[in-house]
Each structure stands twice: as C-alpha cells, then as structure tokens.
C-alpha cells in the first residue's frame, strides 16, 4: 500500500496536532500510522504520519504544497516522502561479509524497501557475492599514504548514482569530514561495540580486556567525530568467561547484522528524526 | 504534573484525529503524550491522549462534557480519567510473598500511582509484612469444600473499599465467574508461564517436563476461562539443563514480579485498551 | 586446533569423573574444555570433553580403544568424534530463503564447521542461490496426493551422500516416520513458534490471534510426533499490538535464523545430548 | 543438601583434573556440580566442585587436609568452603531503598543463603524497613568535610561483626582505599550503568545526554579505582526517546536489583573467581 510520510520537528506549542490533522482531514487523508513525541527537556515536538496515497486528491507534491503554510506558520523542519519512491542506497564494505550479505539478502527477498545502486569496497573480495545479486560492484582501493583520491572516487560514484543514503556495512575506513557533512544524517554506520564504550579500533578486544559480561553493537549516523554521531539502534548479547575475543567477534556479528538492518529499515521508512545529536525513532 | 487521560476505541474512519485534536485545541489543551493505533484486521481505531490539567479551562467533568458529542458522533468507547484521582486497588495473595512484596515496595517508594485499600489473603502468613506498610490485611480462608462464603466475603470487601481494580499477586485460587464478570478488565493476574503454554497448575513443572529453554510469565486480565484472558504483558528468562523445577521457580519469581508490576502500571495509567480478547498497550 | 570430543551419558555414581580423567591423563591428554551435568531427577550423568588431538599418542580410533573398557564398566552411552572429520549435512528447504541463506553464508564464511553435501527442496526457487555457493541442488517435488516417491528419493539422496545430519531449514513438509526413525537425533528442524505454544501450521497467525506479547522460534530434533521432539534451542522477540501477522513473519525470520544456526552449531560440535526427550546442551 | 565447595585457580597443565578427581574419588566424594575453565590467553585453569558433605568421611577441615598436597604440588590458589557455614554479610545503603529492599526480601524468603549481620547507612531513612526484618541498623553519617571518622566506624562495625563480605546496595559513597584493600574481592558494588560506559556520578543523566538505546547496571568488586573493579554481572533494559532521565532511573532500578542479587548470589555460592581484574563466574 502506497503511503506518503509526513515528518515534522518543531518547537512544541498548543495546537500543532490540530492544525496538522485538520489539513489532512480536509483532504480526506486516511492516516494509517501516527506518532508524536514531546520532548520536555528540549521543548521540541516530533511527529510522523503515514497517509494512504490513494485517499488524497493529489500526489506527493500536492501534499507538500498543501502543507507548506503550516510548516511556515510553526517554523517546522518538515518533509514529505512517498513510499513509492524507493530511496537509493550505496553500500560500502571491506572484507567482512556478514553485514553486507545480510543486507543483500533482505533486499533480495523484498524486506528492505530501497534500491541498492552499488556496493563500493576497498577490497575486491566480495565482488562475486554482490554481482550474483545483480548489483554493480566498485573496487576503490584506499592508499593509506594518500586516501584523498579514493574518497574523491567514492564521492563521485555516490553523486553519479544520486544516492540518498550511504550505509557503511563494516567499511572500516574513516570517511573524510566533507563527505560526512555533505551527507549529514544520511550516512549510517555499524560500530561493533555498545557505544559509548569501546570507541575506535578492535572493540571486541577492548571488551575482552575489560571483562564485560555483555557485548553489543551500535547503529548510528556518521559525524565528523569518530563513533560519536546520533545513535539509531543498539543491542547486546550475553557472553561469559568462556568466550575469548574470537568468540566475541563471531557472536557480535549477529548483533551487528540485526542492529544495522533495523537501523537502516527505520531510516528508509523515515522513522528517524535527529535533534541535538540524539534520535527520535518512531519504530 | 496532573493530567487528564482521554482513551478512545472506535471503528476507524477518516477525520477522527482531526475532530479529537480540534476539541482539545479549542480549549487550549496541552497534549503531553498522544498515541494512535489503527488495527487493520478488526478495522478499529485506538487512541490515548494525556493533556495537562492546568492547560484546560475546566476540570475532568468539564472535559467529559466537552468531549461527549464527539464520542457520540463516532460511536466511541471512550473514557476520561484524572491522574490526580488515584485508582483504588485491592491486592490478593496467598503464601508466596515475592509479587506482593514487590508491589508493596513499589507503592511505598512512590513508583505505583494508586491507593492500595487492602490486601486479602487466604492465608495469614503475610499479615505482618502488609501491616508494616500501613495497609489493612484481611485473612479470608477458602474452604475447598465450599468456597462460596469466602468469595462472598471477598466480594463484600472489594465493594466496601470501592476498589477500581483487583490484582491477583499469586493468589492461587480461581475466582468465581460472577466476580470475573463484575470486574471485567479490572482483575489483573500473573500466571507463571509464557501463555498459552502451560495453562493451569504447576507450570514450571510442566516446563521442566517439556525441556523448554526459556520460561516466562504472563500478566493478563482475568476472564471466566482459566488463563485465557487478554494478555497485557509477558516476559521470559533463559534456563538450561542445569535448572530443575525448583530453580525455575526461583528464576521465574523475578520474571513474575517484573511482568506483573509493568502490567499493573500500564493499567493504572490507562494505557491498556481491550478489544476482541487482545490488548492495545500504549506503553 | 584439532580436538577429539568424548561425549558420555550414563547412570550417575561416584568415581566416573576420576576414571575418565585418569585415562585421559594417562595418555597425557590436554583437556581444552570439560563439562559435566548430574541430573537429579533422572539420576543420569552427562559429560563432554574436548581433548587436543596433538597431545594424545594415538588417533581417534586409538582413543576409542583406550576408552572402551571404561565405557563398558559404567554402562555408558558414549562416543568420540574428531573435529577434523567434518560432519556431512543435507539441508532441506522449500521456498522461504531466510534460514537457508543464513546457513549458507555462515558455512561460506567458515563459521559452520561441516560439509554441506547438497540442498534438497520441493521447489526450484532457491537453486541459483545454492549453486552460487558451489553446492549441489536437488529439486524433489512432493506430490500432495502421493508423497512416498518424493521421500524415497530424499532418502536415497541422503543415503548416497552419507549424510550425518539433515537440517530442515523451513522445509514445510512432514517427514515420514521411518525417515525420522532412521536419523533419530540427527534431523534438526526450526519451528516458527515458542514451543509448546502454537504447534503445527501458521503459528504466527495463531500468535496474532491469541495476542501474545513475544513471539519465538524453536530448534528441535524431529520425532514422529509433530513439533514434539527434544528442544535444542529457543528464543523470542518482543512484539506489540502494532505488529500484525505479516510483521510477525518478518520479525520471526530473524529469530528463526539465529535459533537454527545456534542449534546446528551445538549439534555439529557434539554439544547436544538427548535423554528422555530433553536435551543437555553444553554450550 | 550440605555441600563442600572446592574452588581452584592455577597455571594450566595436563593432569590437574585427574589429580583432583582422584582425591575426591578416593574418599568416595559425590560430586554434584563440576565446572572447569581453561583460559587460553592467560594460560590459567579454573575449577569449582560441589561435593556432598555426607559422602565424605571427614568434615570441611578434613577435606582441606586431604587436598593440601595437591594444592601445593600444582601451586594452586584454592579454597574449600562449607555450604552450612553461611557467609556473614554487611549491607550498606544510603537513601534509595530498591536494592536494599530487594536483598532483604530475598534473604527473608530464604533465597539468599547468608547471614546479614547488619545494615550500615549514612542516612536514617531505611531504619524501620531494616528493623522489621530483625536486622540491626547502624546510622553512620558521613561528614563531607571529614569522612575519616565515619569510615573508621564502618571499619570497626564490619570487623566486630566478622563480616565475610560487604555489599554496597546503592551506598553512594566512595570507600577509602585501605578498606577496599582489606576486603579485596569481598566488597560488591552495584553501579547504575553498563560499565565501562558512564563511570562516576549520575550515569542515567550521562546516558540521556548521549542518547543510548539501552541502559544497564553492573555488579563488580570494588577496587581503589572508581568503577574499575572486576565485573561479576551486567544487564541492560531497552529505552526509547520517550524515556527521560527520571524514567531511566525508574527502569534502571529493576536492572540494578536483578544484577546485584545475581552477583551476590554467585559470590555467596563461591562461583566467582577473580584473575587479572576479570572474573570467571561458574553460574
């Protein structure tokens, strides 16, 4: 069922819901899902509606036109998306296949509602797996002494493909700040620890060193500061003294896959609103 | 912060949200929390609002009067409650103390927003614990040969105390159908299994017999049919072959306490809507 | 690191551990992992050792010969396996790809220590995916009016491939009793409910009907009685009123995959001991 | 059932298990539970046995005498404890009652196998609750300008009561280094975060600030460095954007209680072995 998604963030005040629902009702809009959140701390209000496209007398631009006056009146950050316009996603990976394979299978079986325009990797290992899915694979090696050319190529590929969103499926390279800025809140990373614990390299080894009893994974938007962006989703799995760092790597893979795919799904369905380096997730 | 809670269930159609939010906005109502659910299967719509009492120009009866026309127009099941009118709760227990002690402590420390008018038990064991909390304790023994007098007394006590809600904190006796009917959707039970598995007596022993790898607990409204009422909340805990039935009893206690207290909290805050023997829980 | 696995079940009595560890110490066996379980209820004792192969002066048959007298003395069910002799596994699937894709990826990336001799399916849909992994695919359609020829062919394929173990990765067909008997405790199924709840067909729809707040999956050995065999592993995921049966199917897939792969892993590593229709899992 | 617990840590080598089980078998010792762990990283071996006291021809000192030669031979850290000699525990609390009430109830209902010799608190608030349980309550105020006198008194009380173990049930004061050293691996703290995240004060507010999607609690042995001691047990609970810091405090309480009581139980049953600032927990 095709829906339009109206997503709003604005300073909270009385009457917002009435205004928004009035305009939708005025056009006979059939709301299939509605979520609200008033954040007491920041004084901001967040809202997401899904409206059946076939209940409205206009297309997605019509809805935008109809809604614009309210958006202006309440000084809203707002956007409308159309579930029929699948987001274009570029996946980036390195050598580890588990997150990539998981996303590709979910996409292949119709679970992830997006177009994967290509996979970009700094290694060639996963080419065959990607190409079996009918998706272009770009091998863009990164020279540790001079990474700029590689990221220029990445940037060009992403631009050419008009990607809406970049997913770092265990890409293992730090993106340059200007790329982070250009795709702010549109680059999704999976970090293999329960952030803010174990930022940076080899988090499972850090976890083994500290002797924690649960390990986790964190899906977050990428910002310039490493592993410090807004968190979309997290989860953990129990370990014991019997698990060494290799076991943690194995057990952690399952958490990484789950957390990344859930985070991406929320993003694709416009369920994630970012404010003050934190997220509202209408899951 | 004092709020009024407006809870609605009705056949779904376009315009409900607009109508409801208009009436609230018309009186300058400040919505602190709003939840909606459209159930595709049944075609019903469910909604719950919390509105700051001090933002409205009238008290709870004024809100009822203002809302009644909309309730009639949309043939709603609706109710308005006032967070300042704490629900009156009767707790029923037997000999096992864990659920009762847990609820009493939560109440004592201000976590459960209700008045506990009394504890009724078929055994006298827990009297001292209850009375330390300053709550009346009624020992109403149940004669297995003739249970009617006991339940007549229970009924009278509950009526006298004008209880809004009865909580069976491991009461271990089956209530008579007429009591179930009189307090429909207001008697909350904790069953020590993950329903619908292991209905009836000694569920942990049934679980040990079957060799399951997780055991659970279920908080549900009591209906005439044993352990078959609408489920409010459930949870589980992992077990292994090393756990015998006694271990399950011990581990299960923690799940029972948690599940019952969460379920009761949802009920006290008017977050549970019952439809077709299932619940919508706006948690 | 190559290990031999010594797995024992016998009536409990004093001195078993000493006898077993003495024989291992006598040959200088380096125990890398040891697990014991005394079951009070049945009076049985269960034990599993992993011993470094390179610490022993003989191969796996030598260990068998050395151990046999003790096995006889204590009337043990016992077996020794060699981690270097990878088990031969036949996967069976139908149209749903999630469990199959998950197992194939784990195998492909070296996480599942076995040889997958082939995939047998009653539909041809998943052929390409299987063949990409370099694994033979057999399409054996099942005629609902006469299933015998299909299962005769399955039986023949499994025998030809000398499979140690059959995994029903959402195969959706009930195996004939004689096949269940021939591969007793060697056919692993994933059932998409938290057994014993929702035996049989369409468990997610049963779950939606009952209004449970968690759904689950169960990995178990197949016996003649449907969904009643010894449970190896189970897990659950939380749902709410917002999830309809389709959502449950989607969310359940992730639990199914995880539970099946964990159960299979335990089986492949000889960590599962069956007694009285229950399992001891030395995970 | 009375048992003796033999707990061992030593450098790993071949033959330890045989030696230990031989001496137990020689005296007809009936092992009811046995756990082993070989830590590859450190090269240490850990072992715990429970032996039925009535199966041995001597008391706990007899077992010590019988075992001492082996302990010496293998340069073991070892100890034998008697389940009939309940550990003496001092609980320390401040104003928050949830952890204390939970432990007291578990003790009162026979779930925690120990003697609680007293509760020491820097506030008088919880006196009545403690005294209802028949346990002495000591109010030892801590002067922020000069904490030494208070800790001298605490030290004296603990010494007088010959406490085996101190439990900080949300005590909220930092113990002086000499007390930490005197009771090394015998002071158990509950920290209200998933360590190593959010060390120090107001961890829930730190968590709210960072926007994490799970909050947790950590039970650990106290060392001189704040919140850095060996972790015994951890757990988490899911939160969303709807939960502010106050909600986290409420939800976190349940995790704190569970984690502390599990950690204490493991300690009381001699299931926790400390090595290199990490724990082996034979749970």
């Amino acid at each position: 069922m095709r829906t339009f998604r109206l997503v709003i963030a604005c300073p909270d005040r009385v009457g917002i819901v009435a205004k928004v629902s009035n305009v939708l009702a005025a056009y006979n809009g059939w709301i299939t899902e509605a979520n609200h959140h008033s954040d007491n701390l920041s004084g901001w209000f967040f809202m997401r509606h899904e409206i059946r496209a076939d209940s409205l007398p206009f297309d997605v631009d019509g809805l935008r036109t109809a809604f614009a006056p309210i958006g202006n009146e309440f000084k809203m950050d707002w956007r409308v998306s159309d579930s029929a316009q699948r987001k274009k996603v570029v996946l980036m990976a390195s050598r580890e296949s588990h997150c990539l394979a998981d996303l590709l299978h979910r996409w292949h079986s119709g679970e992830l509602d997006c177009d994967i325009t290509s996979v970009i990797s700094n290694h060639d290992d996963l080419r065959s797996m990607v190409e079996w899915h009918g998706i272009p694979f770009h091998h863009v090696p990164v020279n540790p002494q001079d990474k700029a050319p590689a990221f220029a190529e990445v940037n060009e590929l992403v631009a050419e493909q008009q990607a809406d969103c970049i997913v770092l499926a265990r890409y293992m390279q730090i993106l340059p700040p200007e790329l982070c800025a250009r795709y702010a809140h549109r680059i999704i990373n999976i970090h293999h620890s329960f952030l803010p614990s174990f930022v940076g390299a080899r988090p499972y080894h850090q976890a083994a060193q500290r002797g924690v009893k649960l390990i986790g994974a964190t899906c977050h938007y990428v910002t310039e500061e490493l592993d410090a962006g807004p968190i979309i989703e997290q989860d953990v799995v129990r370990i014991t003294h019997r698990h060494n760092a290799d076991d943690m790597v194995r057990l952690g893979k399952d958490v990484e896959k789950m957390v990344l795919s859930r985070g991406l799904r929320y993003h694709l369905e416009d369920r994630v609103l970012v404010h003050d380096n934190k997220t509202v997730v209408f899951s």
Side-chain angles (χ1 to χ4, degrees), chain A:
Chain A
M1 187 182 56
R2 183 181 178 187
T3 58
F4 298 151
R5 298 168 192 143
L6 172 61
V7 180
I8 294 165
C10 63
D12 202 0
R13 53 179 258 207
V14 170
I16 300 172
V17 180
K19 274 279 180 162
V20 172
S21 45
N22 276 344
V23 74
L24 295 178
Y27 294 104
N28 205 37
W30 182 339
I31 301 165
T32 60
E33 187 180 334
N35 294 98
H36 306 65
H37 175 58
S38 296
D39 187 64
N40 290 339
L41 207 63
S42 65
W44 273 61
F45 179 71
F46 306 89
M47 192 186 224
R48 179 185 182 277
H49 283 91
E50 289 216 37
I51 309 120
R52 286 182 63 149
D54 63 8
S55 72
L56 291 168
F58 37 53
D59 66 4
V60 66
D61 282 325
L63 178 54
R64 286 183 187 120
T65 306
F67 190 76
I70 293 173
N72 291 337
E73 181 186 346
F74 288 84
K75 300 188 191 314
M76 291 172 172
D77 292 334
W78 65 279
R79 61 182 194 269
V80 175
S81 68
D82 178 351
S83 71
Q85 282 184 277
R86 294 153 65 95
K87 288 192 176 58
K88 291 191 179 73
V89 176
V90 168
L91 304 182
M92 299 187 72
S94 185
R95 279 190 159 126
E96 287 278 8
S97 61
H98 58 286
C99 283
L100 188 65
D102 181 78
L103 293 180
L104 290 175
H105 178 262
R106 289 179 196 271
W107 172 82
H108 189 68
S109 61
E111 190 185 309
L112 275 186
D113 202 27
C114 63
D115 291 330
I116 300 178
T117 57
S118 74
V119 172
I120 301 175
S121 177
N122 54 337
H123 294 283
D124 209 40
D125 310 40
L126 304 176
R127 175 184 295 278
S128 160
M129 186 178 83
V130 171
E131 292 181 347
W132 180 84
H133 288 87
I135 294 172
F137 180 91
H138 305 285
H139 179 203
V140 183
V142 176
N143 177 350
Q145 264 62 54
D146 181 13
K147 300 187 171 190
F151 288 119
E153 190 177 344
V154 166
N155 192 39
E156 206 170 311
L157 285 167
V158 173
E160 268 174 28
Q161 296 166 22
Q162 299 179 286
D164 297 296
C165 155
I166 301 171
V167 176
L168 307 184
R170 298 295 309 272
Y171 176 57
M172 310 304 281
Q173 297 283 332
I174 297 172
L175 297 187
E178 58 276 14
L179 197 61
C180 297
R182 185 167 310 123
Y183 294 92
H185 305 163
R186 295 193 290 149
I187 307 179
I188 294 173
N189 185 43
I190 181 73
H191 182 71
H192 40 315
S193 85
F194 182 74
L195 289 174
S197 290
F198 312 134
V199 164
R202 294 169 66 79
Y204 293 127
H205 292 78
Q206 296 183 52
Q209 182 64 26
R210 179 61 185 97
V212 292
K213 300 300 185 186
L214 301 165
I215 53 171
T218 303
C219 177
H220 64 97
Y221 288 118
V222 172
T223 56
E224 197 175 332
E225 189 184 344
L226 184 66
D227 299 331
I231 294 171
I232 305 170
E233 173 66 343
Q234 301 185 291
D235 216 337
V236 293
V237 64
R238 186 162 287 273
I239 55 165
T240 76
H241 57 269
R242 290 176 293 110
H243 297 104
N244 59 26
D246 287 346
D247 295 317
M248 292 185 199
V249 168
R250 174 174 56 80
L251 291 168
K253 283 177 180 175
D254 285 328
V255 187
E256 295 166 36
K257 291 183 321 196
M258 297 287 289
V259 166
L260 177 57
S261 68
R262 286 203 295 255
L264 177 55
R265 182 183 177 85
Y266 298 150
H267 178 87
L268 293 176
E269 295 180 355
D270 298 291
R271 296 182 178 280
V272 190
L273 291 76
V274 181
H275 190 76
D276 273 355
N277 207 44
K278 295 192 283 188
T279 62
V280 169
V281 181
F282 288 128
S283 63

